[in-house]
Amino acid sequence: MADQSSPVARRLQTVKNIIIVLSGKGGVGKSSVSTQLALNLHASSPTAKVGILDVDLTGPSIPRMLGLDGHGVHQSSSGWVPVYADGPEARLACMSVGFLLKNKGDSVVWRGPKKNGMIRQFLSDVRWGELDYLVIDTPPGTSDEHLSLLEHMAPVHSRLSAVIVTTPQAVALMDAMKCLSFTRAVNLPILGLIENMSGYVCPCCGEISNVFSTGGGEEMARREELRFLGSLPVDTELVTLLDAAEPEKEGSVREGILQQYSSTSSAKLFKKIVERMVEQLG
Amino acid sequence: MIAVPSPEEGPNPLSVPANTPEHCPGTESELAGKSDACNGCANQEICASNIPKDPDPSLPLITERMTSVKRKILVLSGKGGVGKSTFTAQLGWAFAADDRTQVGIMDVDICGPSIPTILGIANEQVHASSSGWSPVFVQDNFAVMSVGFMLPSSRDAVMWRGPKKNGLISQFLKDVDWGDLDYLVVDTPPGTSDEHLSIVQYLKDSGIDGAVVITTPQEVAIQDVRREINFCRKVGIKMLGLVENMSGFVCPRCKTESQIFKPSTGGAKKLAEDMGIELLGSVPLDPRIGKSADYGVSFLDEYPDSPATTAYLDIIDRIKEILGD
Ligand SMILES: Nc1ncnc2c1ncn2[C@@H]1O[C@H](COP(=O)(O)OP(=O)(O)OP(=O)(O)O)[C@@H](O)[C@H]1O
Ligand SMILES: Nc1ncnc2c1ncn2[C@@H]1O[C@H](COP(=O)(O)OP(=O)(O)OP(=O)(O)O)[C@@H](O)[C@H]1O
Ligand code: SF4
Ligand SMILES: [Mg+2]
Ligand SMILES: [Mg+2]
């Protein structure tokens, strides 16, 4: 039986649900889905408390996507203080290796054992406080980071679930299938599958082009008896929003992204996806 | 007080062997083999002694095997899904178009091998022969090795930690019967981790001719690629240049170009300037590239007149020019 008194178990005692965002393939939108998931959960009620943990140690995207580039993590007697995307309200807590770097161009070149150590610290040393949801963004693949995450979180396994993100092309679906085999091997329940970047509307003539094909994710969900959570078309406004959120000075209140995101067309679609997910969490 | 660490500090990553514990001080360190972290490490005896260290016994075998390979090129990107594997495949096809040129592709993306699908050889298997594993051939002068050829089914996940991945990469280099090659192109997974460190360590003595770095135009990709370029500098890999992929999409109906991944911070051009490297070219987003990859056919052969084909071929010519071929 997993050790209920481990530092990770004790630290995560106050976290109700942990949702891991996975995909075998790179660049299909794990980080943007994690960000959107956190933003939507945060907006789902005026008291919802949400955390987002970025375990992509060599390619952290969450700080940039939430407009928190340049922020740092402080230490306190009760743990590392996360960076809050909503300022003093402190209902949207973020942690990423990006906050620990002195210089944003610095590369983190680590082999597995060091990654494992960092993930253990993220899970045991961050002062999350009470959280309704902790969203975890992962790197592509099924390797050290994923195995370490599941190993350290074994004591809280009953609160874990996962979402699989894919794009519609065959090369992406093949990796999504590997990712699904991984979740089955480690007994991780799946809330469902999201098909991302499915179709693009030409801003000039309105023609819909399937720039990265379409429908493959939905078909895979049917075949594998997974819940299909929905498809998200290519949204150029979203790219710019997740990209251009300008770095800010330490301590200043970020009000842009939360409001800006809520008015995008992706936010409306994502709201339904989140409803379908939360339904299953009870 | 629970202290927050600084990830940049630590030993030279190249001096950390593949099989070490978390706090390995690095084999070049004064503490090598003597620090608390070394307890239980398989290399402790070698590290603690003063004999010059040969970290991996496979190194001389790799160097021997690689003497018959003229050019070794890495295709890299810190960011996932930017088109590394697709570019590697085009590079392979373009080199192999001349039937006097012998080409090899080695896929070191262990958890997400795409090369077999893109090259249309996903159902092939690797065979063992007296001179090693024989690679799979796309055509007579075009050999490929990937973990994809070794799995019972493409649905299987490869749930391996670093040391096991490193072991396989070492075997790909020393046990595969590559024969005489003019070019060996290595497709890598995203990030800067075990696979990257291992390939650089294993090819240290044979020499890497250079790296082609792939990016897409938006900042979320650029920031990872900036890190990757810093990684290459840290470990001493020569840069051949930068390729911008998926830059601009032409609507098939109204022919208007739009930017899907808008270069909000200046894209690859600005990155190349900032980092002092060459921008080799830009490839537009063309859905037929994705389709060709899914069907395992050569985009360059199927759509020879498309702007993307022209862009690819110009980039490849420039790479040859830089290499002096
Ligand atoms: N629906 C969408 N429409 C348009 N662009 C998108 C969409 N979803 C994600 N993107 C963009 O695509 C790029 C890749 O997405 P993202 O970084 O979230 O992928 P990832 O799976 O986390 O990648 P990695 O494997 O490198 O971690 C980002 O620039 C993101 O803004
Ligand atoms: N210029 C392009 N236009 C349209 N689609 C493209 C283009 N380049 C690549 N693609 C498609 O984008 C997807 C990602 O490309 P690819 O698999 O080559 O990326 P990668 O960098 O190797 O990804 P990973 O990080 O997962 O290894 C594939 O489906 C590919 O077919
Ligand atoms: S014995 Fe050598 S390789 Fe092992 S941890 Fe110590 S320094 Fe690193
Ligand atoms: Mg990501
Ligand atoms: Mg690839």
Side-chain angles (χ1 to χ4, degrees):
Chain A
M1 198 47 227
D3 181 8
Q4 293 300 330
S5 64
S6 77
V8 174
R10 267 182 284 132
R11 181 65 78 177
L12 298 181
Q13 237 166 26
T14 53
V15 176
K16 292 200 190 103
N17 297 289
I18 302 171
I19 305 171
I20 308 177
V21 179
L22 296 170
S23 82
K25 177 104 185 113
V28 297
K30 290 172 293 302
S31 303
S32 61
V33 162
S34 302
T35 302
Q36 297 192 67
L37 182 55
L39 290 172
N40 274 283
L41 287 168
H42 173 267
S44 67
S45 119
T47 56
K49 290 198 157 143
V50 182
I52 180 163
L53 171 62
D54 180 1
V55 303
D56 192 339
L57 305 176
T58 65
S61 308
I62 297 298
R64 181 86 196 182
M65 289 188 169
L66 282 171
L68 298 171
D69 249 2
H71 284 251
V73 168
H74 300 283
Q75 53 193 44
S76 79
S77 52
S78 53
W80 306 355
V81 184
V83 176
Y84 290 97
D86 57 343
E89 227 186 298
R91 291 199 292 117
L92 184 47
C94 317
M95 184 53 68
S96 164
V97 82
F99 297 138
L100 308 181
L101 298 172
K102 284 192 207 81
N103 191 328
K104 72 171 182 172
D106 285 339
S107 60
V108 175
V109 189
W110 286 349
R111 290 197 177 272
K114 278 206 86 152
K115 292 192 199 163
N116 182 46
M118 181 49 93
I119 289 173
R120 192 189 57 232
Q121 284 191 287
F122 273 158
L123 294 170
S124 62
D125 293 351
V126 178
R127 199 186 74 189
W128 295 108
E130 301 270 337
L131 288 183
D132 296 300
Y133 303 97
L134 176 62
V135 177
I136 304 186
D137 181 23
T138 63
T142 47
S143 187
D144 288 287
E145 292 87 342
H146 311 82
L147 294 167
S148 294
L149 257 186
L150 281 146
E151 209 171 281
H152 296 307
M153 291 203 294
V156 296
H157 195 93
S158 62
R159 280 175 272 153
L160 297 185
S161 54
V163 182
I164 297 182
V165 186
T166 186
T167 50
Q169 309 95 314
V171 281
L173 291 164
M174 207 173 70
D175 288 358
M177 191 57 229
K178 288 184 190 296
C179 175
L180 178 62
S181 301
F182 168 80
T183 62
R184 287 175 176 158
V186 296
N187 214 354
L188 182 61
I190 303 287
L191 296 174
L193 185 132
I194 297 175
E195 178 172 309
N196 193 23
M197 306 201 210
S198 160
Y200 172 62
V201 182
C202 172
C204 181
C205 69
E207 169 93 350
I208 298 175
S209 294
N210 292 322
V211 284
F212 298 118
S213 170
T214 190
E218 185 161 12
E219 196 190 303
M220 171 176 161
R222 197 177 321 112
R223 196 181 58 234
E224 297 299 326
E225 298 179 351
L226 294 174
R227 179 151 188 172
F228 184 63
L229 294 169
S231 43
L232 296 166
V234 172
D235 176 357
T236 53
E237 198 190 353
L238 180 72
V239 182
T240 309
L241 184 69
L242 297 177
D243 232 24
E246 284 295 323
E248 278 187 302
K249 283 194 203 72
E250 187 98 359
S252 62
V253 184
R254 167 99 216 154
E255 41 142 45
I257 179 114
L258 305 179
Q259 282 85 338
Q260 278 180 49
Y261 172 70
S262 63
S263 62
T264 59
S265 58
S266 291
K268 286 168 200 84
L269 292 169
F270 212 95
K271 194 159 173 252
K272 296 213 181 66
I273 291 182
V274 171
E275 282 163 11
R276 290 182 198 121
M277 287 169 63
V278 171
E279 235 170 62
Q280 299 171 67
L281 292 169
Chain B
M1 201 55 76
I2 302 184
V4 179
S6 303
E8 303 95 327
E9 286 157 20
N12 170 2
L14 280 184
S15 77
V16 178
N19 53 351
T20 52
E22 180 186 344
H23 296 291
C24 168
T27 54
E28 293 162 354
S29 145
E30 300 246 300
L31 292 171
K34 298 177 188 117
S35 90
D36 288 348
C38 300
N39 290 330
C41 173
N43 310 330
Q44 197 172 11
E45 209 170 306
I46 316 176
C47 285
S49 70
N50 290 323
I51 349 169
K53 296 136 201 165
D54 196 349
D56 194 320
S58 55
L59 212 57
L61 301 172
I62 291 173
T63 308
E64 167 65 28
R65 181 75 82 175
M66 287 293 126
T67 51
S68 62
V69 177
K70 274 199 210 122
R71 300 263 183 231
K72 297 161 219 79
I73 303 171
L74 304 186
V75 178
L76 299 170
S77 174
K79 181 76 186 147
V82 295
K84 290 175 290 301
S85 304
T86 309
F87 186 81
T88 306
Q90 311 309 325
L91 207 50
W93 263 309
F95 284 148
D98 178 349
D99 54 21
R100 292 162 304 178
T101 306
Q102 303 297 320
V103 185
I105 286 184
M106 185 171 114
D107 179 5
V108 302
D109 191 340
I110 310 291
C111 294
S114 317
I115 287 291
T117 306
I118 300 180
L119 294 175
I121 44 177
N123 297 322
E124 302 288 329
Q125 294 282 316
V126 166
H127 299 284
S129 73
S130 54
S131 51
W133 291 341
S134 65
V136 171
F137 285 86
V138 182
Q139 58 193 52
D140 283 345
N141 61 337
F142 190 174
V144 184
M145 192 61 184
S146 167
V147 73
F149 303 135
M150 311 173 92
L151 301 174
S153 135
S154 70
R155 302 165 62 102
D156 294 331
V158 180
M159 294 161 51
W160 289 359
R161 289 192 179 269
K164 230 177 142 178
K165 295 194 280 192
N166 300 322
L168 187 68
I169 293 172
S170 143
Q171 282 189 289
F172 277 2
L173 289 165
K174 75 176 172 16
D175 297 338
V176 174
D177 184 12
W178 291 106
D180 290 331
L181 289 183
D182 294 295
Y183 296 98
L184 178 64
V185 187
V186 182
D187 183 25
T188 63
T192 43
S193 190
D194 277 284
E195 296 86 338
H196 308 81
L197 280 170
S198 293
I199 192 89
V200 174
Q201 280 173 338
Y202 291 138
L203 291 179
K204 188 180 58 185
D205 292 344
S206 333
I208 294 171
D209 292 272
V212 181
V213 180
I214 318 286
T215 189
T216 48
Q218 77 278 33
E219 173 62 21
V220 169
I222 299 274
Q223 62 170 3
D224 283 358
V225 174
R226 198 178 287 123
R227 296 188 189 107
E228 187 83 28
I229 297 171
N230 283 329
F231 162 78
C232 289
R233 298 227 157 111
K234 225 191 237 175
V235 300
I237 305 176
K238 192 183 149 211
M239 296 301 252
L240 294 172
L242 184 67
V243 173
E244 182 173 78
N245 191 20
M246 308 194 195
S247 52
F249 168 69
V250 176
C251 171
R253 191 167 94 184
C254 70
K255 308 289 177 223
T256 311
E257 180 168 345
S258 54
Q259 299 287 336
I260 292 189
F261 300 118
K262 203 172 135 208
S264 65
T265 56
K269 184 165 175 286
K270 175 84 179 1
L271 178 68
E273 282 165 17
D274 289 351
M275 305 295 288
I277 63 176
E278 180 173 338
L279 177 61
L280 298 169
S282 300
V283 180
L285 200 155
D286 184 336
R288 295 173 301 182
I289 295 177
K291 263 196 207 105
S292 304
D294 282 1
Y295 290 119
V297 297
S298 163
F299 172 78
L300 302 178
D301 289 348
E302 298 285 313
Y303 304 99
D305 302 324
S306 69
T309 296
T310 312
Y312 274 128
L313 293 177
D314 286 348
I315 293 167
I316 293 164
D317 282 344
R318 179 68 192 134
I319 292 174
K320 282 191 182 159
E321 203 174 283
I322 296 172
L323 290 170
D325 295 348

